Each structure stands twice: as structure tokens, then as C-alpha cells.
Amino acid sequence: MATMPDYKNIPHSHRLPVFHREVQRTFMKLSRQSLVSLAQQWLSKKNRDFCRPYLLSDRNVADDDEDDELYEPAQSYEELQEIYRELATRKGGRREVLDRILEGDWRTGISMYQLATAEIQYLLDHPNALRWTAKRLTKIPNARSAVTDMEVTNDSDHLPRFQAQTFMSNLARELTPLMKAHYLITRIKTSPMTLLRVYIHDSPYSTEGSLAVENTSTDSAKAVFFVWPNGSPFVYSSLATLTGQVVGDEGRHLRDIVQQAIPKAFSRPSARYQLTSTNFTTKSLDALLTYRGSGKSNAATGGWSIFQDHSFSQNALDFITTQRGDAQDKQSAEKGATNGVTKPGPGRSKRAADSTETPEAKRRKEVAAGRFGPSAKSDDGRGLERFEVRIDDPFPAVGENNGAQLDGETSNMNAQASKSTRRGRPSLLDRTAEDLEDIQNEAGWVPNVRVTFQGTHVFAGIRQLVEEGIVDGEKMPGWMTGEAGVTIGAVREGRIRSKEGVPGV
Amino acid sequence: MATIDELDSDISDLHVRISAIHAHRANLASVLLSQAHLAARLQTPKQISKSAKRAIEQQSKRNLENVYRACAGVTAYKVQDPDPNAINNGNILGVSIDVAIGGKFVETYHVLLNWSERDESRLLRIHKHTIPPCIPLQQLVNKWLPQSGKDVEVDPEQDLVRFGRLLRKELVSWHMRVKAVEELQKEAGLAMSRSRARDEQEENPERTGKILNAFVSEDEASSDIEEPAAESGNARILDIESDAAVRQITITWSDRRTAVLSVTKDGRIEKAVCRAKDGSRDQSLSRKAFGPMTGLLRRLKG
């Protein structure tokens, strides 16, 4: 068969050999339970066309000499389904199922569809496995329709409409001239989002043979994930990397191509979209759904999260004032007690254990509760791992600043800034020319101070510091509670600078 | 064994009774505390105790607040921002919107505004809010709470009252559309199977969702259960689903007919595309779909 460069996508049914690095990588990570449920899913009627297993009828007369094969090919789909049903009920090792899939039933190859579902399965099993960046789809203002865009009428629509089929064909049309790719778009049942996986095949061919060729320089990630939370203007994107894998420039570049194609695929005539940054990056999908999701929580984070539920406002017909207070007291007391038991942190266990806290400690707890509300609990699974700010406030004046010194310092800082940009990729925190101009107009010396918080759950950590009295809970600026809802930002006058407009929309 | 079961059921019965009695007690307490002139009557023999006074005050405050919230739908209150660097010393104006559907208050939304003084007038700006993104908040703000942009000379006119009114309208109509879709699902007998599906989901949460793909035709993806090709007329509805803002509804029948309906904010179906199982458009069915959301299924059937 002649191979020719073409304009096709890679279909679901194209198979990769089982020893292919991507296959090995993906399948080695999955648990037994996930493997069994995936196999059952592949064998269900609607997926059979692109997950074809090796059955007895496939055995060729030519290579009939493999009598000593480990796994006898099954007679039919039904028999295979029965085998995997049996495996699901039985306890056993992961390896058993893995070998059965790779060396037995799918020895002829793992189809692109199977690889994609396996990788998505891993993502759902480990929602903190990848680093996600949240972007917003915004309409590009159009001079002609500017007035109608702003109107709120009976049938106006302000969110980009997501229609999976249309979107997919548009996206494929944008991308196929540049690269071959395999697409899988799926609605996640367990959480309100739609997930798109694009497997990038950097080759002009879309044949099965070209897929199997291992490119020596492909240590970079080959798949890109995009997630749309339902009913919101946000898109989360991520490179499917493995822990510790360095993302090369090549991988990043391919992701950028796909990312650039996404707003184009959303756009219609007279409604063009672009992706804008929302200064939010995290590993936790749950945190993303909290800070950039479709619910009530986007613009009321940190201490403001009391407004999300009924802890601040009861039902308008709930007149009972007495019981509520009692129950809450009891609950919080219980919670405090269990906290002490479950988290014997260094140097804390003793104090938490004897329930008679000092009034000072109790006050600090109350202050922390006031500042953080119900947010920033270490076990809420919405931890941000990194939070960076740049302080743009002038240095607190100690004595009198003379002008000469000020000039000298700012020029020095200019030099520093330019040096740091040269060193690596420019950071989002580097001051732009505009920022520098703003700062120079400011009276006083503005040093280039950056603060980075890092950990498993940054704001829970700050809350703990407040409770321990290390950070003064009352003088602490608001951005330290996470209420700004960004992971990177610039602080001016004690507040994170935000763009004009309504937060969180 | 039987005795353990009996004891368990006894215990749970008692728990139920205890909570019922607790609720009753709380109810009576709030009725008592709401008595007119209670504070004055308690005061006559000797000095009223502090805690009693506090309880009465709390109750009367709650009563007043609830009456306003229940009757007005949009109420305002004051909040103190704990941030030491907040604008205006952290004075925040809160607006709460109560949404009532079917005789029940289902949800409360908040918009928290701060303001900057500008010669005699105050310029409000949204600080925090709990409005879901499927409500066009930004558009309403642009219209009714505009910020002074580049030219400082022009003082934008803000109208908080109309902003609140329109925002409430958007929220209530959204809730009503959600409710209408739920009604449709119930009418089609989908509510039961849906809850069952959720149970299955809990047992087997790692199952990947329904696979939608450009390379899979819709009918392949939609039906797990293979139905014998039923004549149109006695076909079951397999699924009724809508987007988050309930502006678009998709109905799938077991005979592979589909309908995509576009809904306006006041709950009328304005556009409809119905397709027969071979993918051809069914104009007459589409015409039947136009109209209010209630009774949609009856119209489609008839």
C-alpha cells in the first residue's frame, strides 16, 4: 500500500502495537479495577468497531504454529465479556489483567480509541495528575455589533454555545493541514464537564504504519487535554505529561497550535472568540471547578465563601433562631475534637488534645474562621500548590527619600528586570513597560519583591499559620486568604490588581 | 440476631422522634420569642437577664429580615470586609436575591458591592458575587452599573434598583426553566431511570462517560439498550437534556428520532430541528414543538 500525505484524521480504529511506548506508559499506570472496567467498556456493543479484540476467528492459518500461546483466543465477544465480568468479581493482581489485555485479547494492537479512554480513565482516577491552566473564551468586541452584544434580551446569549459535533469538525478543519491528530471528546458523568483529548501525531501520514513508528525525539507529551466545565466560559488545558517528565518546547508548541485553534472552532460569523488568561494554574481539577467553574463559587472565594451556602443566609422562611445556634456549636466542637485526633501535627497534638484552649488560641481560631470562612480546610481537596504575587507598593518610607537615590534605584531595577527576562522564558510576573511607568510615577521606592507560596494546599497552610499565631490574622491582607481567586498576581495598595469588570464571569 | 435488628430499629425510631421533638421545641421557642411585648413583660418583676434579651433581639431581627426577604425578593444589607486594605474601610453593600419556585424558596444569591466616592456621587462596583456564570451579569453591569472608563469627565449613571430587578428576573427565569425541564423529564418517565443511573454511578464511579465524537454517529453513541425498530408513535423518549442555562433542549427517542429545541429566557420554544432516524428533517414535528415548554411532550406526541 502506498503511503501518501493526506488530509485525514486518525480514526479510532487505528492500532498501535502493544509494545509502543505510549501504550506501555499508559497501561502500566492503571489499577486492576480500572483495567477491567475499561475492557468491559471496549467490549460493549457500541464500541466494538474500534476496539476489536483478537478472537479465535482471527487466527490465521498461516501463523497457526503458535500453539504454545499463553492466552487462548476467545470464541466470541460474549465469552470475553464473561471473562472480564468474572475478573471483576474476583480479587487478584493488576498484572494479571494487564497481561491478559496486552498479550492476550488485544495482542494485535491497542486502538487509538482504547489508548484515549485508558488515558482519560487514569485522569479520572487521579484528578491531581496534571497541571491545568484555566483560560476564558471571550468574545472579540465587534464595532458593528457592539450595542447588541451588551443587550440582555429575551433571547440573547452571552456564553459561547458548545455543540460537540460542530465544534469537533471545525477543530479538525483548523488542525489537519498542520498535523495529524486523533480526537476523543467525552462528557464526564461524575462531574459537570466535557473533556477533549487530542493525540498529536507529528507526521504527514495518517496510516496505521506511520503511527507505530517511534520517533526517537518524542520524549515530549503527545496528548493534550482540554476540559469545558458545563455552562461557563472557561476552558482548562493541560499537556498529558507524566510525573517528572520535562515538557519540551516541541510539546508546548504543539499544544499552542491546538489551543489557538480552539477559539476559532468556537467562532461563528459575526461572533468571534479568543482565549484570554485568567491567571490561574493548578493541579487540582476540583479547585478549578471551584475557582473557575459553573457554580456560585467563582467570585466568592476565601472568606466570602460563606455567601455560597446557607451559612450566612438561611431560607427566607426559616424563623428558628435557637436550635441552629446550638447545633452549630455542637458540630463545631465535635469537628474541633476530631481534628485534634486525626491530625497530630508536630507540636500541635498536645494542645488540641486538652480541649481547654487558651483564650488567646480560641480567639485566633475565631479570627481565622472570620477571614477564611469555610474555605481553606486542609482536607477539602481544593488545594492550590503555588501562589505567586509581586508587590507593587512603594517601600514603607523610613526617613526622607531624596530624588537622586530614587532615580538610581529605579534604573537599577530596570536593569534587573531586563536581565531576568533574558535568562529564561519571561515570567508572567515580570513587570511590563506599562507597569514600570506606573511605578515610576509613584512617590517612593518600589523594590521588585515577589512572594511565592508553595505546598500541597497553600491557603490551608496560611490558615494554620493564623491559627497558630504566626501570621496576624487581623492585619493579614485579603489576598493571603485566597479571595482574589488567582494563582498569580500583582499587589497594589494592598489588593491584587484586577481588570475592570465583574470578577469571575 | 432478630433482637439486634429490633434494637436497631428501636434506636432509629427514637432518633427520629428525638429530632422531631427537637424541631418542635425550636419552633415553639421561636414562636414564644416572637411574642409581642415579651421583653417588656419579662422586665416588670426584676432586671431582665442578658441572654434572654439577646435571644429576643435575635429573634425579632430574624423575623424582620425574613419578612423583608420573603416579600421583596431583593433586599440589601451591610457587610464589613475583613481585609485591612479594603476600599472605604471595608464597607460593603450586599444585595441578596431570593428565588422562590413552586411555593418554596430554593436559592439565595448575593452580590456584594463596594463603592468609590466621586464628587457627591457614589460609584458602585461589584466586589464579590455568587451569581453562576450562565447569568449575563457582565452585560447587566455594563448597562446599569457602568464604570467610568477612560474619560473621567463623564459621570456614568448607575441604577442599582433596576440592576437588581433585572438580575432577579434572569435568575428566576433560569430557575423556572430548570424546573420546567425537570417536569418534562418526569412526564416522560425519565426521573426514575435517572435516579437509578445515579445509583449505578455511585457503585461504579470510574466508568467513563458517554462518548461523543465526530467520528461516531449520534445514534450509535446514544442507546445502550438495543431497541427493536419501533414504529414512530409508540417510541419511548430515551433522554431529555439541556445545557446549563437551559437555552437548548435535546430530546432523543428510542426510534432514533432526535429533536434540538432552542428556548428563550421566558421559556418558549422558538426554534426546533427534529430529525427522523435517517437524518432527514421533520418539518411538521418541528412546527408542533413551538410554544411554551409545558405541554411540549403532548404537542410532540399529538
Side-chain angles (χ1 to χ4, degrees), chain A residues 16 46 53 79 94 97 105 143 211 243 250 261 275 296 307 314 339 375 432 470 476 485:
Chain A
L16 287 172
K46 58 178 180 184
E79 190 192 331
R94 186 178 66 91
V97 186
D105 300 325
L211 273 173
T243 36
E250 198 185 348
L275 281 179
K296 297 165 77 178
F307 290 99
Q314 71 289 353
N339 269 355
S375 74
T432 61
I470 297 161
M476 175 179 71

PDB file of all heavy atoms in Angstrom, chain A residues 16 46 53 79 94 97 105 143 211 243 250 261 275 296 307 314 339 375 432 470 476 485:
ATOM      1  N   LEU A  16      -2.095   0.786  17.619  1.00  0.00           N
ATOM      2  CA  LEU A  16      -0.682   0.890  17.953  1.00  0.00           C
ATOM      3  C   LEU A  16      -0.231  -0.483  18.426  1.00  0.00           C
ATOM      4  O   LEU A  16      -0.991  -1.174  19.101  1.00  0.00           O
ATOM      5  CB  LEU A  16      -0.481   1.890  19.095  1.00  0.00           C
ATOM      6  CG  LEU A  16      -0.634   3.360  18.783  1.00  0.00           C
ATOM      7  CD1 LEU A  16      -0.580   4.152  20.081  1.00  0.00           C
ATOM      8  CD2 LEU A  16       0.470   3.830  17.870  1.00  0.00           C
ATOM      9  N   LYS A  46     -21.521  -0.831  21.384  1.00  0.00           N
ATOM     10  CA  LYS A  46     -21.322   0.388  20.607  1.00  0.00           C
ATOM     11  C   LYS A  46     -19.852   0.670  20.343  1.00  0.00           C
ATOM     12  O   LYS A  46     -19.515   1.435  19.460  1.00  0.00           O
ATOM     13  CB  LYS A  46     -21.972   1.566  21.325  1.00  0.00           C
ATOM     14  CG  LYS A  46     -21.438   1.775  22.707  1.00  0.00           C
ATOM     15  CD  LYS A  46     -22.061   2.964  23.378  1.00  0.00           C
ATOM     16  CE  LYS A  46     -21.463   3.112  24.769  1.00  0.00           C
ATOM     17  NZ  LYS A  46     -22.055   4.153  25.543  1.00  0.00           N
ATOM     18  N   PRO A  53     -10.950  -7.004  19.549  1.00  0.00           N
ATOM     19  CA  PRO A  53     -10.012  -7.920  20.199  1.00  0.00           C
ATOM     20  C   PRO A  53      -9.596  -9.047  19.244  1.00  0.00           C
ATOM     21  O   PRO A  53     -10.150  -9.181  18.151  1.00  0.00           O
ATOM     22  CB  PRO A  53     -10.822  -8.468  21.374  1.00  0.00           C
ATOM     23  CG  PRO A  53     -12.217  -8.420  20.915  1.00  0.00           C
ATOM     24  CD  PRO A  53     -12.337  -7.298  19.935  1.00  0.00           C
ATOM     25  N   GLU A  79     -18.167 -14.321  25.139  1.00  0.00           N
ATOM     26  CA  GLU A  79     -17.286 -15.094  26.009  1.00  0.00           C
ATOM     27  C   GLU A  79     -16.283 -14.170  26.699  1.00  0.00           C
ATOM     28  O   GLU A  79     -16.031 -14.277  27.903  1.00  0.00           O
ATOM     29  CB  GLU A  79     -16.551 -16.146  25.177  1.00  0.00           C
ATOM     30  CG  GLU A  79     -15.797 -17.147  26.027  1.00  0.00           C
ATOM     31  CD  GLU A  79     -14.842 -17.990  25.201  1.00  0.00           C
ATOM     32  OE1 GLU A  79     -15.131 -18.196  24.011  1.00  0.00           O
ATOM     33  OE2 GLU A  79     -13.815 -18.406  25.747  1.00  0.00           O
ATOM     34  N   ARG A  94      -2.956  -6.710  39.617  1.00  0.00           N
ATOM     35  CA  ARG A  94      -3.156  -5.828  38.482  1.00  0.00           C
ATOM     36  C   ARG A  94      -2.533  -6.432  37.232  1.00  0.00           C
ATOM     37  O   ARG A  94      -3.054  -6.352  36.134  1.00  0.00           O
ATOM     38  CB  ARG A  94      -2.477  -4.509  38.822  1.00  0.00           C
ATOM     39  CG  ARG A  94      -2.658  -3.394  37.871  1.00  0.00           C
ATOM     40  CD  ARG A  94      -1.949  -2.196  38.437  1.00  0.00           C
ATOM     41  NE  ARG A  94      -0.516  -2.448  38.478  1.00  0.00           N
ATOM     42  CZ  ARG A  94       0.296  -2.127  37.473  1.00  0.00           C
ATOM     43  NH1 ARG A  94      -0.179  -1.545  36.408  1.00  0.00           N
ATOM     44  NH2 ARG A  94       1.582  -2.379  37.547  1.00  0.00           N
ATOM     45  N   VAL A  97      -4.544  -8.811  34.833  1.00  0.00           N
ATOM     46  CA  VAL A  97      -5.434  -8.198  33.851  1.00  0.00           C
ATOM     47  C   VAL A  97      -4.630  -7.499  32.767  1.00  0.00           C
ATOM     48  O   VAL A  97      -4.949  -7.577  31.573  1.00  0.00           O
ATOM     49  CB  VAL A  97      -6.372  -7.187  34.553  1.00  0.00           C
ATOM     50  CG1 VAL A  97      -7.398  -6.664  33.581  1.00  0.00           C
ATOM     51  CG2 VAL A  97      -7.045  -7.821  35.745  1.00  0.00           C
ATOM     52  N   ASP A 105      -5.920 -10.668  24.700  1.00  0.00           N
ATOM     53  CA  ASP A 105      -7.086 -10.321  23.892  1.00  0.00           C
ATOM     54  C   ASP A 105      -6.832  -9.190  22.909  1.00  0.00           C
ATOM     55  O   ASP A 105      -7.507  -9.083  21.900  1.00  0.00           O
ATOM     56  CB  ASP A 105      -8.244  -9.959  24.817  1.00  0.00           C
ATOM     57  CG  ASP A 105      -8.600 -11.124  25.714  1.00  0.00           C
ATOM     58  OD1 ASP A 105      -8.491 -12.270  25.236  1.00  0.00           O
ATOM     59  OD2 ASP A 105      -8.959 -10.910  26.884  1.00  0.00           O
ATOM     60  N   ALA A 143     -17.145  46.165  16.288  1.00  0.00           N
ATOM     61  CA  ALA A 143     -17.619  47.551  16.254  1.00  0.00           C
ATOM     62  C   ALA A 143     -19.078  47.625  15.816  1.00  0.00           C
ATOM     63  O   ALA A 143     -19.847  48.429  16.319  1.00  0.00           O
ATOM     64  CB  ALA A 143     -16.748  48.358  15.305  1.00  0.00           C
ATOM     65  N   LEU A 211       1.858   5.445  12.503  1.00  0.00           N
ATOM     66  CA  LEU A 211       1.628   5.640  13.939  1.00  0.00           C
ATOM     67  C   LEU A 211       2.609   4.828  14.761  1.00  0.00           C
ATOM     68  O   LEU A 211       3.060   5.255  15.822  1.00  0.00           O
ATOM     69  CB  LEU A 211       0.212   5.192  14.301  1.00  0.00           C
ATOM     70  CG  LEU A 211      -0.898   6.195  14.169  1.00  0.00           C
ATOM     71  CD1 LEU A 211      -2.219   5.517  14.400  1.00  0.00           C
ATOM     72  CD2 LEU A 211      -0.718   7.311  15.159  1.00  0.00           C
ATOM     73  N   THR A 243       4.686  12.194  35.629  1.00  0.00           N
ATOM     74  CA  THR A 243       5.380  12.854  36.729  1.00  0.00           C
ATOM     75  C   THR A 243       6.868  12.934  36.419  1.00  0.00           C
ATOM     76  O   THR A 243       7.499  11.948  36.067  1.00  0.00           O
ATOM     77  CB  THR A 243       5.178  12.072  38.032  1.00  0.00           C
ATOM     78  OG1 THR A 243       5.165  10.685  37.702  1.00  0.00           O
ATOM     79  CG2 THR A 243       3.893  12.459  38.700  1.00  0.00           C
ATOM     80  N   GLU A 250       8.897  21.418  21.947  1.00  0.00           N
ATOM     81  CA  GLU A 250       8.101  20.863  20.866  1.00  0.00           C
ATOM     82  C   GLU A 250       6.670  20.575  21.333  1.00  0.00           C
ATOM     83  O   GLU A 250       5.700  20.962  20.697  1.00  0.00           O
ATOM     84  CB  GLU A 250       8.759  19.583  20.384  1.00  0.00           C
ATOM     85  CG  GLU A 250       8.299  19.148  19.026  1.00  0.00           C
ATOM     86  CD  GLU A 250       8.913  17.806  18.669  1.00  0.00           C
ATOM     87  OE1 GLU A 250       9.851  17.362  19.383  1.00  0.00           O
ATOM     88  OE2 GLU A 250       8.454  17.215  17.710  1.00  0.00           O
ATOM     89  N   ALA A 261      -6.352  26.925  17.900  1.00  0.00           N
ATOM     90  CA  ALA A 261      -7.449  26.515  17.026  1.00  0.00           C
ATOM     91  C   ALA A 261      -8.780  26.492  17.754  1.00  0.00           C
ATOM     92  O   ALA A 261      -9.832  26.553  17.120  1.00  0.00           O
ATOM     93  CB  ALA A 261      -7.150  25.137  16.448  1.00  0.00           C
ATOM     94  N   LEU A 275      -9.099  33.327  23.361  1.00  0.00           N
ATOM     95  CA  LEU A 275      -8.806  32.794  24.688  1.00  0.00           C
ATOM     96  C   LEU A 275      -8.013  33.838  25.446  1.00  0.00           C
ATOM     97  O   LEU A 275      -7.011  34.339  24.952  1.00  0.00           O
ATOM     98  CB  LEU A 275      -7.989  31.512  24.586  1.00  0.00           C
ATOM     99  CG  LEU A 275      -8.727  30.227  24.248  1.00  0.00           C
ATOM    100  CD1 LEU A 275      -7.732  29.089  24.179  1.00  0.00           C
ATOM    101  CD2 LEU A 275      -9.778  29.907  25.285  1.00  0.00           C
ATOM    102  N   LYS A 296     -21.663  28.798  41.937  1.00  0.00           N
ATOM    103  CA  LYS A 296     -21.740  30.083  42.596  1.00  0.00           C
ATOM    104  C   LYS A 296     -20.407  30.511  43.175  1.00  0.00           C
ATOM    105  O   LYS A 296     -20.286  31.603  43.711  1.00  0.00           O
ATOM    106  CB  LYS A 296     -22.743  29.987  43.761  1.00  0.00           C
ATOM    107  CG  LYS A 296     -24.142  29.690  43.324  1.00  0.00           C
ATOM    108  CD  LYS A 296     -24.997  29.242  44.491  1.00  0.00           C
ATOM    109  CE  LYS A 296     -25.415  30.399  45.355  1.00  0.00           C
ATOM    110  NZ  LYS A 296     -26.281  29.966  46.466  1.00  0.00           N
ATOM    111  N   PHE A 307     -21.033  33.120  51.607  1.00  0.00           N
ATOM    112  CA  PHE A 307     -22.211  33.539  50.846  1.00  0.00           C
ATOM    113  C   PHE A 307     -22.692  32.464  49.885  1.00  0.00           C
ATOM    114  O   PHE A 307     -23.768  32.563  49.330  1.00  0.00           O
ATOM    115  CB  PHE A 307     -21.904  34.816  50.064  1.00  0.00           C
ATOM    116  CG  PHE A 307     -21.749  36.013  50.953  1.00  0.00           C
ATOM    117  CD1 PHE A 307     -20.505  36.464  51.323  1.00  0.00           C
ATOM    118  CD2 PHE A 307     -22.865  36.662  51.442  1.00  0.00           C
ATOM    119  CE1 PHE A 307     -20.372  37.555  52.158  1.00  0.00           C
ATOM    120  CE2 PHE A 307     -22.737  37.748  52.282  1.00  0.00           C
ATOM    121  CZ  PHE A 307     -21.482  38.197  52.638  1.00  0.00           C
ATOM    122  N   GLN A 314     -30.049  32.127  55.838  1.00  0.00           N
ATOM    123  CA  GLN A 314     -30.938  30.990  55.962  1.00  0.00           C
ATOM    124  C   GLN A 314     -32.053  31.110  54.930  1.00  0.00           C
ATOM    125  O   GLN A 314     -32.176  32.130  54.251  1.00  0.00           O
ATOM    126  CB  GLN A 314     -31.515  30.952  57.378  1.00  0.00           C
ATOM    127  CG  GLN A 314     -32.521  32.039  57.703  1.00  0.00           C
ATOM    128  CD  GLN A 314     -31.901  33.426  57.840  1.00  0.00           C
ATOM    129  OE1 GLN A 314     -30.692  33.589  57.827  1.00  0.00           O
ATOM    130  NE2 GLN A 314     -32.731  34.431  57.962  1.00  0.00           N
ATOM    131  N   ASN A 339     -10.603  16.910  64.646  1.00  0.00           N
ATOM    132  CA  ASN A 339      -9.416  17.464  64.002  1.00  0.00           C
ATOM    133  C   ASN A 339      -8.185  17.167  64.830  1.00  0.00           C
ATOM    134  O   ASN A 339      -7.152  16.772  64.319  1.00  0.00           O
ATOM    135  CB  ASN A 339      -9.555  18.979  63.834  1.00  0.00           C
ATOM    136  CG  ASN A 339     -10.167  19.319  62.502  1.00  0.00           C
ATOM    137  OD1 ASN A 339     -10.395  18.426  61.694  1.00  0.00           O
ATOM    138  ND2 ASN A 339     -10.439  20.582  62.302  1.00  0.00           N
ATOM    139  N   SER A 375     -13.688  28.028  53.782  1.00  0.00           N
ATOM    140  CA  SER A 375     -12.706  27.630  52.772  1.00  0.00           C
ATOM    141  C   SER A 375     -11.386  27.286  53.439  1.00  0.00           C
ATOM    142  O   SER A 375     -11.239  27.388  54.654  1.00  0.00           O
ATOM    143  CB  SER A 375     -12.489  28.762  51.774  1.00  0.00           C
ATOM    144  OG  SER A 375     -11.722  29.767  52.378  1.00  0.00           O
ATOM    145  N   THR A 432       5.762  44.769  33.082  1.00  0.00           N
ATOM    146  CA  THR A 432       5.743  45.261  31.716  1.00  0.00           C
ATOM    147  C   THR A 432       6.166  46.722  31.730  1.00  0.00           C
ATOM    148  O   THR A 432       6.276  47.346  32.790  1.00  0.00           O
ATOM    149  CB  THR A 432       4.341  45.159  31.127  1.00  0.00           C
ATOM    150  OG1 THR A 432       3.472  45.960  31.928  1.00  0.00           O
ATOM    151  CG2 THR A 432       3.848  43.731  31.122  1.00  0.00           C
ATOM    152  N   ILE A 470       1.250  32.763  64.108  1.00  0.00           N
ATOM    153  CA  ILE A 470       2.484  33.160  63.422  1.00  0.00           C
ATOM    154  C   ILE A 470       2.195  34.298  62.449  1.00  0.00           C
ATOM    155  O   ILE A 470       2.971  35.217  62.284  1.00  0.00           O
ATOM    156  CB  ILE A 470       3.104  31.941  62.708  1.00  0.00           C
ATOM    157  CG1 ILE A 470       3.497  30.907  63.765  1.00  0.00           C
ATOM    158  CG2 ILE A 470       4.308  32.351  61.884  1.00  0.00           C
ATOM    159  CD1 ILE A 470       3.691  29.533  63.246  1.00  0.00           C
ATOM    160  N   MET A 476      -3.492  40.702  58.292  1.00  0.00           N
ATOM    161  CA  MET A 476      -3.139  39.989  57.067  1.00  0.00           C
ATOM    162  C   MET A 476      -3.936  40.529  55.880  1.00  0.00           C
ATOM    163  O   MET A 476      -5.147  40.707  55.971  1.00  0.00           O
ATOM    164  CB  MET A 476      -3.479  38.515  57.286  1.00  0.00           C
ATOM    165  CG  MET A 476      -3.285  37.638  56.092  1.00  0.00           C
ATOM    166  SD  MET A 476      -3.699  35.947  56.519  1.00  0.00           S
ATOM    167  CE  MET A 476      -5.462  36.077  56.667  1.00  0.00           C
ATOM    168  N   GLY A 485      -8.846  34.773  44.079  1.00  0.00           N
ATOM    169  CA  GLY A 485      -9.160  33.742  43.105  1.00  0.00           C
ATOM    170  C   GLY A 485      -8.201  33.652  41.948  1.00  0.00           C
ATOM    171  O   GLY A 485      -8.585  33.313  40.848  1.00  0.00           O
TER     172      GLY A 485
END
